[in-house]
Amino acid sequence: MAGFVLATLIAVPLGIIIGLNRHFSAAINPLIQIFKPVSPLAWLPLVTMVVSATYVSDDPMFEKSFLTSMITVTLCSLWPTLINTSVGVSAVNPDLLNVSKVLQLSFWTHVRKVVLPSSVPMIFTGLRVSLGIAWMVLIAAEMLAQSPGLGKFVWDEFQNGSSESLSRIMVAVLAIGFIGFLLDRIMLLIQKKVAWNE
């Protein structure tokens, strides 16, 4: 959840700026296309090395495994929200933009009263996709970083190789899928509460 929230705090404001400024969009789009397809399997070793080298403390506030997982989740899950937010902002009805110009709304009022309400459905579509990716990446990060969780449980059962391992792994897989489904439903309920068109 920490990684998803951090990704949202980065992606939504940046997506709004990209959607409002086509020159900035053209400049940053190559970076998005380069980093978007990078797998969590590629990010995790890099993040682990950086966290291990920089986060040195006798009394750490967070475990290194938590920080590694959180940063990896953030790096992998921010792209759908970023892209959907920018597309939603750039697709605001031109009539609404013209009304905003006629009323001479300030930039912040324009964003708050015109841009955000119009692009909320697209933003939440991105958030739902990002949340699913965040959950998927977390399980992979737990497997690779050996941090406690369902991912580590599945990996340990696989390594165990007992006659009951297959059934335990299947139950864990179903639990992972069910939790992902619940997270998506929760995000859909939040969307219905805040989306004006709903």
Side-chain angles (χ1 to χ4, degrees), residues 76-89:
C76 294
S77 68
L78 65 87
W79 309 112
T81 301
L82 180 64
I83 291 166
N84 275 41
T85 301
S86 63
V87 169
V89 168

Side-chain angles (χ1 to χ4, degrees), residues 65-155:
S65 60
F66 170 80
L67 280 178
T68 301
S69 298
M70 184 190 82
I71 294 168
T72 306
V73 166
T74 300
L75 288 169
C76 294
S77 68
L78 65 87
W79 309 112
T81 301
L82 180 64
I83 291 166
N84 275 41
T85 301
S86 63
V87 169
V89 168
S90 61
V92 173
N93 191 326
D95 292 340
L96 294 175
L97 298 177
N98 290 333
V99 168
S100 179
K101 285 177 185 174
V102 168
L103 295 174
Q104 296 182 339
L105 298 179
S106 68
F107 175 77
W108 295 112
T109 307
H110 170 71
V111 169
R112 201 174 73 251
K113 298 283 189 181
V114 178
V115 172
L116 274 178
S118 299
S119 54
V120 156
M122 284 294 284
I123 292 172
F124 267 90
T125 301
L127 286 171
R128 286 172 65 193
V129 175
S130 286
L131 188 58
I133 289 172
W135 178 237
M136 181 178 64
V137 169
L138 177 64
I139 300 300
E142 286 173 353
M143 282 184 179
L144 295 170
Q146 291 295 292
S147 56
L150 275 169
K152 185 177 186 303
F153 173 80
V154 170
W155 185 252

